[in-house]
Amino acid sequence: MTDRITPPFTEASARQMVQNAEDAWNRRVPEEIPGEYTEDIKWRYKDAFFQGRQHIIPFLTVRWPIQQDYRLKKEMWSYSGSRISVRFISEWRHRDTGQWYRTHGNEHWEFAPDGLMSVQDISANDVEIDESERTLT
């Protein structure tokens, strides 16, 4: 891909990477996601750890349907060279219980020279909220 953003990042290119990721995750199409990662991506989301691009679609195919009415906002926290740190908030309704949640978290990303993500490390906490408390719509 000739228009892929590659490191070392500038503030503008790092912010664009964050926006691209937010847009992709809000579309919630699992098949769109793996192409942005290296074949041997090291991935952690909360307590889920895996290595390898082939695990992304199965992970998202299980996780995303549980999170109904999902909305995500990412904000760049910092960047340097081939790394970007992000803080995020998402809101979603649990498919089985109807309970609304707000997820707060931090992401640390590292990129290969070709601009594909090689490390994604996400720490996050889910907090129960009332539907009336939603801020992302």
Side-chain angles (χ1 to χ4, degrees):
M1 177 178 232
T2 58
D3 60 346
R4 183 179 305 280
I5 300 169
T6 59
F9 299 115
T10 63
E11 181 176 354
S13 65
R15 287 188 188 284
Q16 188 60 58
M17 290 293 273
V18 172
Q19 187 62 58
N20 292 350
E22 177 183 309
D23 293 345
W25 284 75
N26 275 325
R27 281 192 300 275
R28 297 170 58 83
V29 178
E31 296 77 16
E32 288 184 7
I33 303 300
E36 299 303 314
Y37 296 89
T38 61
E39 289 287 338
D40 62 347
I41 177 75
K42 293 178 184 151
W43 183 302
R44 179 177 76 87
Y45 178 80
K46 297 180 184 179
D47 60 352
F49 294 79
F50 60 83
Q51 184 169 354
R53 184 189 290 173
Q54 73 275 16
H55 299 290
I56 295 173
I57 290 176
F59 174 77
L60 297 177
T61 301
V62 169
R63 180 175 163 260
W64 278 352
I66 293 168
Q67 296 176 317
Q68 300 290 299
D69 301 312
Y70 181 89
R71 190 73 190 132
L72 169 70
K73 181 65 182 153
K74 293 181 183 273
E75 177 184 60
M76 185 179 71
W77 187 255
S78 67
Y79 72 96
S80 178
S82 63
R83 294 179 175 170
I84 300 173
S85 289
V86 174
R87 66 182 185 174
F88 71 90
I89 182 173
S90 64
E91 294 175 344
W92 51 279
R93 182 180 48 81
H94 195 283
R95 173 190 63 200
D96 299 331
T97 67
Q99 174 63 54
W100 279 94
Y101 289 89
R102 181 174 294 128
T103 303
H104 299 270
N106 298 296
E107 304 183 31
H108 303 294
W109 303 338
E110 187 166 351
F111 294 85
D114 63 2
L116 294 176
M117 192 181 299
S118 60
V119 176
Q120 177 169 285
D121 188 85
I122 301 174
S123 298
N125 298 298
D126 299 326
V127 177
E128 291 184 3
I129 63 171
D130 291 330
E131 184 174 4
S132 64
E133 296 175 282
R134 293 179 58 210
T135 60
L136 303 175
T137 56

